[in-house]
Coordinates of all heavy atoms in Angstrom, one line a residue:
M530 N -13.4 -28.6 -17.5 CA -12.8 -28.2 -18.7 C -11.5 -27.3 -18.4 O -11.6 -26.4 -17.6 CB -13.8 -27.4 -19.5 CG -13.3 -27.1 -20.9 SD -14.8 -26.4 -21.7 CE -14.1 -26.1 -23.3
A531 N -10.4 -27.6 -19.0 CA -9.2 -26.9 -18.7 C -9.2 -25.6 -19.4 O -9.7 -25.4 -20.5 CB -8.0 -27.7 -19.2
A532 N -8.5 -24.6 -18.8 CA -8.5 -23.3 -19.4 C -7.5 -23.3 -20.5 O -6.4 -23.9 -20.5 CB -8.1 -22.2 -18.4
S533 N -7.7 -22.5 -21.6 CA -6.9 -22.4 -22.7 C -5.6 -21.6 -22.3 O -5.7 -20.7 -21.5 CB -7.6 -21.7 -23.8 OG -6.7 -21.3 -24.8
S534 N -4.5 -22.0 -22.9 CA -3.3 -21.3 -22.6 C -3.3 -19.8 -23.2 O -2.4 -19.0 -22.8 CB -2.0 -22.0 -23.1 OG -2.1 -22.2 -24.5
N535 N -4.2 -19.6 -24.1 CA -4.3 -18.2 -24.7 C -5.2 -17.3 -23.8 O -5.3 -16.1 -24.2 CB -4.9 -18.3 -26.1 CG -4.0 -19.1 -27.0 OD1 -2.9 -19.4 -26.7 ND2 -4.5 -19.5 -28.2
T536 N -5.8 -17.8 -22.8 CA -6.7 -17.0 -21.9 C -5.9 -16.0 -21.1 O -5.0 -16.4 -20.4 CB -7.6 -17.9 -21.0 OG1 -8.2 -18.9 -21.8 CG2 -8.5 -17.1 -20.2
P537 N -6.2 -14.7 -21.2 CA -5.4 -13.8 -20.4 C -5.8 -13.9 -19.0 O -6.9 -14.1 -18.6 CB -5.8 -12.4 -21.0 CG -7.2 -12.6 -21.7 CD -7.2 -14.1 -22.1
L538 N -4.8 -13.7 -18.1 CA -5.0 -13.8 -16.7 C -5.6 -12.5 -16.2 O -5.3 -11.4 -16.7 CB -3.7 -14.0 -15.9 CG -3.0 -15.3 -16.2 CD1 -1.7 -15.4 -15.5 CD2 -3.9 -16.5 -15.8
A539 N -6.5 -12.6 -15.2 CA -7.1 -11.4 -14.6 C -6.0 -10.7 -13.7 O -5.2 -11.4 -13.1 CB -8.3 -11.8 -13.8
P540 N -6.0 -9.4 -13.7 CA -5.0 -8.7 -12.8 C -5.3 -9.1 -11.4 O -6.4 -9.3 -11.0 CB -5.2 -7.3 -13.1 CG -6.5 -7.1 -13.7 CD -6.8 -8.4 -14.4
P541 N -4.2 -9.1 -10.5 CA -4.5 -9.4 -9.1 C -5.3 -8.3 -8.5 O -5.3 -7.1 -8.8 CB -3.1 -9.4 -8.5 CG -2.2 -8.9 -9.5 CD -2.9 -8.9 -10.8
V542 N -6.1 -8.7 -7.5 CA -7.0 -7.8 -6.8 C -6.5 -7.6 -5.4 O -6.1 -8.5 -4.7 CB -8.4 -8.3 -6.7 CG1 -9.4 -7.4 -5.9 CG2 -9.0 -8.5 -8.1
R543 N -6.4 -6.3 -4.9 CA -5.9 -6.0 -3.6 C -7.0 -5.1 -2.9 O -7.8 -4.6 -3.5 CB -4.6 -5.2 -3.6 CG -3.5 -6.0 -4.3 CD -3.0 -7.2 -3.5 NE -1.9 -7.9 -4.1 CZ -2.0 -9.0 -4.7 NH1 -3.1 -9.6 -4.9 NH2 -0.9 -9.6 -5.2
T544 N -6.9 -5.0 -1.6 CA -7.8 -4.1 -0.8 C -7.0 -2.9 -0.3 O -5.9 -2.9 0.2 CB -8.3 -4.9 0.4 OG1 -8.9 -6.1 0.0 CG2 -9.3 -4.1 1.2
C545 N -7.7 -1.7 -0.6 CA -7.1 -0.4 -0.1 C -7.2 -0.4 1.4 O -8.3 -0.6 2.0 CB -7.9 0.7 -0.8 SG -7.5 2.3 -0.1
V546 N -6.1 0.0 2.1 CA -6.1 0.1 3.5 C -6.9 1.3 4.0 O -7.2 1.4 5.2 CB -4.7 0.0 4.2 CG1 -4.1 -1.3 3.9 CG2 -3.9 1.2 3.7
G547 N -7.2 2.2 3.1 CA -7.9 3.4 3.5 C -9.4 3.3 3.4 O -10.1 3.4 4.5
C548 N -9.9 2.9 2.3 CA -11.4 2.8 2.1 C -11.9 1.4 2.2 O -13.1 1.2 2.2 CB -11.8 3.5 0.8 SG -11.2 2.6 -0.7
R549 N -11.0 0.4 2.2 CA -11.3 -1.0 2.4 C -12.0 -1.5 1.1 O -12.7 -2.6 1.2 CB -12.1 -1.3 3.6 CG -11.5 -0.8 4.9 CD -10.3 -1.5 5.3 NE -10.6 -2.9 5.5 CZ -9.7 -3.9 5.4 NH1 -8.5 -3.6 5.0 NH2 -10.0 -5.2 5.5
Q550 N -11.9 -0.8 0.0 CA -12.5 -1.3 -1.2 C -11.5 -2.2 -2.0 O -10.3 -1.9 -2.0 CB -13.0 -0.1 -2.1 CG -14.0 0.7 -1.5 CD -15.3 0.0 -1.4 OE1 -15.8 -0.6 -2.3 NE2 -16.0 0.1 -0.3
R551 N -12.0 -3.2 -2.6 CA -11.2 -4.1 -3.4 C -11.0 -3.5 -4.8 O -12.0 -2.9 -5.4 CB -11.7 -5.5 -3.5 CG -11.7 -6.2 -2.1 CD -12.4 -7.5 -2.1 NE -11.9 -8.4 -3.1 CZ -10.8 -9.2 -3.0 NH1 -10.2 -9.2 -1.8 NH2 -10.5 -10.1 -3.9
A552 N -9.8 -3.5 -5.3 CA -9.5 -2.9 -6.7 C -8.3 -3.7 -7.3 O -7.6 -4.4 -6.6 CB -9.2 -1.5 -6.6
S553 N -8.2 -3.5 -8.6 CA -7.1 -4.1 -9.3 C -5.8 -3.5 -8.7 O -5.7 -2.3 -8.4 CB -7.2 -3.7 -10.8 OG -6.0 -4.1 -11.4
A554 N -4.8 -4.3 -8.6 CA -3.5 -3.9 -8.1 C -2.9 -2.7 -8.9 O -2.1 -1.9 -8.3 CB -2.5 -5.0 -8.0
T555 N -3.3 -2.6 -10.2 CA -2.7 -1.5 -11.0 C -3.4 -0.2 -10.6 O -2.8 0.8 -10.9 CB -3.0 -1.8 -12.5 OG1 -4.4 -2.0 -12.7 CG2 -2.2 -3.1 -12.9
E556 N -4.5 -0.2 -10.0 CA -5.2 1.0 -9.6 C -4.7 1.5 -8.2 O -5.0 2.7 -7.8 CB -6.7 0.8 -9.5 CG -7.4 0.5 -10.7 CD -8.9 0.1 -10.5 OE1 -9.5 0.8 -9.6 OE2 -9.4 -0.7 -11.2
L557 N -4.0 0.7 -7.5 CA -3.6 1.0 -6.1 C -2.1 1.3 -6.1 O -1.3 0.8 -6.9 CB -3.9 -0.1 -5.2 CG -5.4 -0.5 -5.1 CD1 -5.6 -1.8 -4.3 CD2 -6.2 0.7 -4.4
L558 N -1.6 2.0 -5.1 CA -0.2 2.3 -4.8 C 0.3 1.4 -3.8 O -0.3 1.3 -2.7 CB 0.0 3.8 -4.4 CG 1.4 4.2 -4.0 CD1 2.3 4.1 -5.3 CD2 1.4 5.6 -3.5
R559 N 1.3 0.6 -4.0 CA 1.9 -0.3 -3.0 C 2.8 0.6 -2.1 O 3.5 1.5 -2.6 CB 2.7 -1.4 -3.7 CG 3.3 -2.4 -2.7 CD 4.0 -3.5 -3.4 NE 4.4 -4.6 -2.5 CZ 5.6 -4.7 -2.1 NH1 6.6 -4.0 -2.5 NH2 5.9 -5.7 -1.2
V560 N 2.8 0.3 -0.9 CA 3.5 1.0 0.1 C 4.3 0.0 1.0 O 3.8 -1.0 1.4 CB 2.6 1.8 1.1 CG1 3.4 2.6 2.1 CG2 1.8 2.8 0.3
V561 N 5.6 0.3 1.2 CA 6.4 -0.6 2.0 C 7.0 0.3 3.2 O 7.1 1.5 3.1 CB 7.6 -1.2 1.2 CG1 7.0 -2.2 0.2 CG2 8.5 -0.2 0.6
A562 N 7.4 -0.4 4.3 CA 8.0 0.3 5.4 C 9.5 0.0 5.4 O 9.9 -1.1 5.2 CB 7.4 -0.3 6.7
V563 N 10.2 1.0 5.5 CA 11.7 0.9 5.5 C 12.2 1.4 6.9 O 11.8 2.5 7.4 CB 12.3 1.8 4.4 CG1 13.8 1.8 4.5 CG2 11.8 1.4 3.1
A564 N 13.0 0.5 7.6 CA 13.5 0.9 8.9 C 14.4 2.1 8.8 O 15.3 2.1 7.9 CB 14.2 -0.3 9.5
S565 N 14.2 3.0 9.7 CA 15.1 4.2 9.7 C 15.7 4.4 11.1 O 16.2 5.5 11.4 CB 14.2 5.5 9.3 OG 13.1 5.6 10.1
G566 N 15.6 3.4 11.9 CA 16.2 3.5 13.3 C 15.5 2.4 14.1 O 14.7 1.7 13.7
A567 N 15.9 2.5 15.4 CA 15.3 1.5 16.3 C 13.8 1.9 16.5 O 13.5 3.0 17.0 CB 16.0 1.5 17.7
D568 N 12.9 1.0 16.2 CA 11.5 1.2 16.3 C 11.0 2.4 15.5 O 10.0 3.0 15.9 CB 11.0 1.3 17.7 CG 10.9 -0.1 18.4 OD1 10.8 -1.1 17.7 OD2 11.0 -0.1 19.6
Q569 N 11.7 2.8 14.4 CA 11.3 3.9 13.6 C 11.2 3.4 12.1 O 12.2 2.8 11.7 CB 12.2 5.1 13.7 CG 12.2 5.7 15.1 CD 13.2 6.9 15.1 OE1 13.9 7.2 14.2 NE2 13.1 7.6 16.2
F570 N 10.1 3.7 11.5 CA 10.0 3.3 10.1 C 9.5 4.5 9.2 O 8.9 5.4 9.7 CB 8.9 2.2 10.0 CG 9.3 0.9 10.8 CD1 9.0 0.8 12.1 CD2 10.0 -0.1 10.1 CE1 9.3 -0.3 12.8 CE2 10.4 -1.2 10.8 CZ 10.0 -1.3 12.2
S571 N 9.8 4.4 8.0 CA 9.4 5.4 7.0 C 8.5 4.6 6.0 O 8.9 3.6 5.4 CB 10.6 6.0 6.3 OG 10.2 6.9 5.4
L572 N 7.4 5.2 5.6 CA 6.5 4.6 4.6 C 7.0 5.1 3.3 O 7.1 6.3 3.0 CB 5.1 5.0 4.8 CG 4.4 4.4 6.1 CD1 2.9 4.9 6.1 CD2 4.5 2.9 6.1
R573 N 7.3 4.2 2.4 CA 7.9 4.6 1.1 C 6.9 4.0 0.0 O 6.6 2.9 0.0 CB 9.3 4.0 0.9 CG 9.9 4.4 -0.4 CD 11.4 4.0 -0.4 NE 12.1 4.8 0.6 CZ 13.2 4.4 1.1 NH1 13.8 3.3 0.7 NH2 13.8 5.1 2.0
P574 N 6.5 4.9 -1.0 CA 5.7 4.4 -2.1 C 6.6 3.5 -3.0 O 7.7 3.7 -3.1 CB 5.3 5.7 -2.8 CG 6.2 6.8 -2.3 CD 6.8 6.3 -1.0
D575 N 5.9 2.5 -3.5 CA 6.6 1.5 -4.3 C 5.7 1.3 -5.6 O 5.1 0.3 -5.8 CB 6.7 0.2 -3.6 CG 7.5 -0.9 -4.4 OD1 8.2 -0.5 -5.3 OD2 7.3 -2.1 -4.1
P576 N 5.7 2.3 -6.5 CA 4.9 2.3 -7.7 C 5.2 1.2 -8.6 O 4.3 0.7 -9.4 CB 5.0 3.7 -8.3 CG 6.3 4.2 -7.8 CD 6.5 3.6 -6.4
R577 N 6.5 0.8 -8.7 CA 6.9 -0.3 -9.6 C 6.6 -1.7 -9.0 O 6.8 -2.7 -9.7 CB 8.3 -0.2 -10.0 CG 8.6 1.1 -10.8 CD 10.0 1.3 -11.1 NE 10.5 0.2 -11.9 CZ 11.7 -0.3 -11.8 NH1 12.6 0.2 -10.9 NH2 12.1 -1.3 -12.5
R578 N 6.2 -1.8 -7.7 CA 6.0 -3.0 -7.0 C 7.2 -4.0 -7.0 O 7.0 -5.2 -7.2 CB 4.7 -3.7 -7.6 CG 3.4 -3.0 -7.4 CD 2.4 -3.7 -8.2 NE 1.2 -3.0 -8.6 CZ 1.1 -2.0 -9.5 NH1 2.2 -1.6 -10.0 NH2 0.0 -1.4 -9.8
R579 N 8.3 -3.4 -6.8 CA 9.6 -4.2 -6.8 C 10.3 -4.4 -5.5 O 11.2 -5.2 -5.4 CB 10.5 -3.7 -7.9 CG 10.0 -3.7 -9.3 CD 10.0 -5.1 -9.9 NE 9.6 -5.1 -11.3 CZ 8.4 -5.4 -11.7 NH1 7.4 -5.8 -10.9 NH2 8.1 -5.4 -13.0
S580 N 10.0 -3.5 -4.5 CA 10.7 -3.6 -3.3 C 10.4 -4.9 -2.5 O 9.3 -5.4 -2.6 CB 10.2 -2.4 -2.4 OG 10.7 -1.2 -2.9
T581 N 11.3 -5.3 -1.8 CA 11.1 -6.6 -1.1 C 10.4 -6.3 0.2 O 10.3 -5.2 0.7 CB 12.5 -7.2 -0.7 OG1 13.2 -6.3 0.1 CG2 13.3 -7.6 -1.9
G582 N 9.8 -7.3 0.7 CA 9.1 -7.2 2.0 C 7.6 -7.1 1.8 O 7.1 -7.1 0.7
R583 N 7.0 -7.0 3.0 CA 5.5 -6.9 3.0 C 5.1 -5.5 2.5 O 5.7 -4.5 2.8 CB 5.1 -7.1 4.5 CG 3.6 -7.2 4.6 CD 3.3 -7.7 6.1 NE 1.9 -8.1 6.2 CZ 1.4 -9.2 5.8 NH1 2.3 -10.2 5.4 NH2 0.2 -9.5 5.9
G584 N 4.0 -5.5 1.8 CA 3.4 -4.3 1.2 C 2.0 -4.1 1.6 O 1.3 -5.0 1.9
A585 N 1.6 -2.8 1.7 CA 0.2 -2.5 1.8 C -0.2 -1.7 0.6 O 0.6 -1.1 -0.1 CB 0.0 -1.6 3.1
H586 N -1.5 -1.6 0.3 CA -2.0 -1.0 -0.9 C -3.0 0.1 -0.5 O -3.8 -0.1 0.4 CB -2.6 -2.0 -1.9 CG -1.7 -2.9 -2.4 ND1 -1.2 -4.0 -1.7 CD2 -1.0 -2.9 -3.6 CE1 -0.3 -4.7 -2.5 NE2 -0.2 -4.0 -3.6
V587 N -2.9 1.2 -1.2 CA -3.8 2.4 -1.0 C -4.1 3.1 -2.3 O -3.3 3.1 -3.2 CB -3.2 3.3 0.1 CG1 -2.0 4.0 -0.4 CG2 -4.2 4.4 0.5
H588 N -5.4 3.6 -2.4 CA -5.6 4.4 -3.6 C -4.8 5.6 -3.5 O -4.6 6.2 -2.4 CB -7.1 4.8 -3.6 CG -8.0 3.7 -4.1 ND1 -8.9 3.0 -3.2 CD2 -8.3 3.1 -5.3 CE1 -9.6 2.1 -3.8 NE2 -9.2 2.1 -5.1
P589 N -4.2 6.1 -4.6 CA -3.4 7.3 -4.5 C -4.2 8.6 -4.5 O -4.0 9.5 -5.3 CB -2.5 7.2 -5.8 CG -3.4 6.4 -6.8 CD -4.2 5.5 -5.9
T590 N -5.1 8.7 -3.5 CA -5.9 9.9 -3.3 C -5.7 10.3 -1.8 O -5.4 9.5 -0.9 CB -7.4 9.6 -3.5 OG1 -7.8 8.6 -2.5 CG2 -7.6 9.1 -4.9
A591 N -5.9 11.6 -1.6 CA -5.8 12.2 -0.3 C -6.8 11.6 0.7 O -6.5 11.3 1.9 CB -5.9 13.7 -0.3
A592 N -8.0 11.3 0.2 CA -9.0 10.8 1.1 C -8.7 9.4 1.6 O -8.8 9.2 2.8 CB -10.4 10.7 0.3
C593 N -8.2 8.5 0.8 CA -7.8 7.2 1.2 C -6.6 7.2 2.1 O -6.6 6.5 3.1 CB -7.6 6.3 0.0 SG -9.1 5.7 -0.7
L594 N -5.7 8.1 1.8 CA -4.5 8.2 2.7 C -4.9 8.7 4.0 O -4.4 8.1 5.1 CB -3.4 9.1 2.0 CG -2.2 9.4 2.9 CD1 -1.4 8.2 3.1 CD2 -1.3 10.5 2.2
E595 N -5.7 9.7 4.1 CA -6.1 10.3 5.4 C -6.9 9.3 6.2 O -6.7 9.2 7.4 CB -6.9 11.6 5.2 CG -6.1 12.7 4.6 CD -4.8 13.1 5.4 OE1 -4.9 13.1 6.6 OE2 -3.8 13.3 4.7
S596 N -7.7 8.5 5.6 CA -8.5 7.5 6.2 C -7.6 6.4 6.8 O -7.7 6.0 7.9 CB -9.5 6.9 5.3 OG -10.2 5.8 5.9
A597 N -6.6 6.0 6.0 CA -5.6 5.0 6.5 C -4.8 5.5 7.6 O -4.6 4.7 8.6 CB -4.7 4.5 5.3
L598 N -4.4 6.7 7.6 CA -3.6 7.3 8.7 C -4.4 7.4 9.9 O -4.0 7.1 11.1 CB -3.0 8.6 8.3 CG -2.0 8.6 7.1 CD1 -1.6 10.0 6.8 CD2 -0.8 7.7 7.5
R599 N -5.7 7.9 9.8 CA -6.6 8.1 10.9 C -6.8 6.7 11.6 O -6.9 6.7 12.9 CB -7.9 8.7 10.5 CG -8.8 9.1 11.6 CD -10.1 9.8 11.1 NE -10.7 9.2 10.0 CZ -10.7 9.6 8.7 NH1 -10.1 10.7 8.4 NH2 -11.4 9.0 7.8
R600 N -7.0 5.7 10.8 CA -7.3 4.3 11.4 C -6.0 3.6 11.8 O -6.1 2.5 12.3 CB -8.1 3.5 10.3 CG -9.4 4.1 10.0 CD -10.2 3.3 8.9 NE -10.0 1.9 9.0 CZ -9.4 1.1 8.1 NH1 -8.9 1.6 7.0 NH2 -9.3 -0.2 8.3
R601 N -4.9 4.1 11.5 CA -3.6 3.5 11.8 C -3.5 2.1 11.1 O -3.0 1.2 11.6 CB -3.4 3.3 13.3 CG -3.3 4.6 14.0 CD -3.1 4.4 15.5 NE -3.3 5.7 16.2 CZ -3.9 5.8 17.3 NH1 -4.3 4.8 18.0 NH2 -4.0 7.0 17.9
A602 N -4.0 2.1 9.9 CA -4.0 0.9 9.1 C -2.7 0.4 8.6 O -2.5 -0.8 8.4 CB -5.0 1.1 7.9
F603 N -1.8 1.3 8.3 CA -0.5 0.9 7.8 C 0.3 0.0 8.8 O 0.9 -0.9 8.4 CB 0.4 2.1 7.4 CG -0.1 2.8 6.1 CD1 -0.7 4.0 6.2 CD2 0.0 2.1 4.9 CE1 -1.2 4.6 5.0 CE2 -0.5 2.7 3.7 CZ -1.0 4.0 3.8
G604 N 0.3 0.4 10.1 CA 1.0 -0.4 11.1 C 0.5 -1.8 11.1 O 1.2 -2.8 11.2
R605 N -0.9 -2.0 11.1 CA -1.4 -3.3 11.1 C -1.2 -4.1 9.8 O -0.8 -5.3 9.8 CB -3.0 -3.2 11.3 CG -3.3 -2.9 12.8 CD -4.8 -3.1 13.0 NE -5.6 -2.3 12.1 CZ -6.0 -1.0 12.3 NH1 -5.5 -0.4 13.4 NH2 -6.7 -0.3 11.5
A606 N -1.4 -3.4 8.7 CA -1.2 -4.1 7.4 C 0.3 -4.5 7.2 O 0.5 -5.6 6.6 CB -1.6 -3.2 6.2
L607 N 1.2 -3.7 7.6 CA 2.6 -4.0 7.4 C 3.2 -4.8 8.6 O 4.4 -5.1 8.6 CB 3.4 -2.7 7.2 CG 3.0 -2.0 5.9 CD1 3.6 -0.6 5.9 CD2 3.3 -2.7 4.7
R608 N 2.4 -5.0 9.6 CA 2.9 -5.7 10.8 C 4.1 -5.1 11.5 O 5.1 -5.8 11.7 CB 3.1 -7.2 10.5 CG 1.9 -7.9 10.1 CD 2.1 -9.3 9.8 NE 0.9 -9.9 9.3 CZ 0.8 -11.1 8.8 NH1 1.9 -11.9 8.7 NH2 -0.3 -11.6 8.3
I609 N 4.0 -3.8 11.7 CA 5.1 -3.1 12.3 C 4.5 -2.3 13.5 O 3.4 -1.9 13.6 CB 5.8 -2.1 11.4 CG1 4.8 -1.1 10.8 CG2 6.6 -2.8 10.3 CD1 5.5 0.0 9.9
T610 N 5.4 -2.1 14.5 CA 5.1 -1.3 15.7 C 6.2 -0.2 15.8 O 7.3 -0.4 15.4 CB 5.0 -2.1 17.0 OG1 6.2 -2.8 17.2 CG2 3.8 -3.1 16.9
G611 N 5.9 0.9 16.4 CA 6.8 1.9 16.6 C 6.4 3.2 15.9 O 5.2 3.3 15.4
V612 N 7.3 4.1 15.7 CA 7.0 5.4 15.1 C 7.1 5.2 13.6 O 8.0 4.7 13.0 CB 8.1 6.4 15.6 CG1 7.8 7.8 14.9 CG2 8.1 6.6 17.1
I613 N 6.0 5.7 12.9 CA 5.9 5.6 11.5 C 6.0 7.0 10.9 O 5.1 7.8 11.1 CB 4.7 4.9 11.0 CG1 4.7 3.5 11.6 CG2 4.6 4.8 9.5 CD1 3.4 2.7 11.4
D614 N 7.0 7.3 10.1 CA 7.1 8.6 9.4 C 6.3 8.5 8.0 O 6.7 7.6 7.2 CB 8.6 8.9 9.1 CG 8.7 10.2 8.3 OD1 7.8 11.0 8.2 OD2 9.8 10.3 7.7
T615 N 5.4 9.3 7.8 CA 4.6 9.3 6.6 C 4.9 10.4 5.6 O 4.2 10.5 4.6 CB 3.1 9.4 6.9 OG1 2.8 10.6 7.6 CG2 2.7 8.2 7.9
G616 N 6.0 11.1 5.8 CA 6.3 12.3 5.0 C 6.5 11.9 3.5 O 5.9 12.6 2.7
E617 N 7.3 10.9 3.2 CA 7.5 10.6 1.8 C 6.3 10.1 1.1 O 6.0 10.5 0.0 CB 8.6 9.5 1.8 CG 9.1 9.2 0.4 CD 10.3 8.2 0.3 OE1 10.8 7.9 1.4 OE2 10.6 7.8 -0.8
L618 N 5.5 9.3 1.8 CA 4.2 8.8 1.2 C 3.2 10.0 1.0 O 2.6 10.1 -0.1 CB 3.6 7.7 2.0 CG 2.3 7.2 1.6 CD1 2.4 6.6 0.2 CD2 1.7 6.2 2.6
T619 N 3.1 10.8 2.0 CA 2.2 12.0 1.9 C 2.6 12.9 0.7 O 1.8 13.3 0.0 CB 2.1 12.8 3.2 OG1 1.7 11.9 4.2 CG2 1.2 13.9 3.1
G620 N 3.9 13.1 0.6 CA 4.4 14.0 -0.5 C 4.1 13.4 -1.9 O 3.8 14.1 -2.8
A621 N 4.3 12.1 -2.0 CA 4.0 11.4 -3.2 C 2.6 11.5 -3.6 O 2.2 11.7 -4.8 CB 4.5 9.9 -3.2
I622 N 1.6 11.3 -2.7 CA 0.2 11.3 -3.0 C -0.3 12.7 -3.2 O -1.1 13.0 -4.1 CB -0.6 10.6 -1.9 CG1 -0.3 9.1 -2.0 CG2 -2.1 10.8 -2.0 CD1 -1.0 8.2 -1.1
H623 N 0.2 13.7 -2.4 CA -0.3 15.1 -2.5 C 0.4 15.8 -3.7 O 0.1 16.9 -4.0 CB -0.1 15.8 -1.2 CG -1.1 15.4 -0.2 ND1 -2.5 15.6 -0.3 CD2 -0.9 14.7 1.0 CE1 -3.1 15.1 0.8 NE2 -2.1 14.5 1.6
G624 N 1.5 15.2 -4.2 CA 2.2 15.7 -5.4 C 3.1 16.9 -5.0 O 3.4 17.7 -5.8
S625 N 3.7 16.9 -3.8 CA 4.6 18.0 -3.5 C 6.0 17.6 -3.7 O 6.4 16.7 -4.3 CB 4.5 18.3 -2.0 OG 4.7 17.2 -1.2

């Protein structure tokens, strides 16, 4: 049976790189890596989900951020190697 064109679509589901729990993309903060030099990257929050390139998702909580950083999950999720500056992302989540 074909779905009705009036049926609302379910929001996309993503996995938090910190706690590894699946959640609606609207509950998670998208993070992208921006090159800031040779083998140097800066993690930038992308709350509007409009930046180009590969993104990783994390709950906007200190616990999930710390877990992701401890596990070095951003490098794997974003497929980058080198030095990763987390200052901008940490500031956005901690509210400074």
Side-chain angles (χ1 to χ4, degrees):
M530 185 169 183
S533 168
S534 62
N535 297 349
T536 305
L538 295 175
V542 175
R543 301 289 183 258
T544 301
C545 173
V546 295
C548 66
R549 305 292 299 153
Q550 296 294 314
R551 293 174 56 84
S553 168
T555 58
E556 297 175 34
L557 301 170
L558 176 63
R559 183 173 188 260
V560 178
V561 295
V563 178
S565 57
D568 283 338
Q569 294 182 352
F570 298 90
S571 177
L572 294 181
R573 183 169 297 160
D575 183 23
R577 295 180 58 218
R578 296 176 202 64
R579 298 288 185 256
S580 294
T581 60
R583 189 169 191 83
H586 293 80
V587 65
H588 284 106
T590 63
C593 283
L594 175 62
E595 295 305 319
S596 177
L598 294 176
R599 184 175 52 252
R600 294 176 43 243
R601 299 181 190 142
F603 286 110
R605 283 190 303 275
L607 298 170
R608 297 181 184 171
I609 57 174
T610 58
V612 179
I613 300 174
D614 175 22
T615 61
E617 188 175 348
L618 177 61
T619 301
I622 289 181
H623 290 291
S625 59

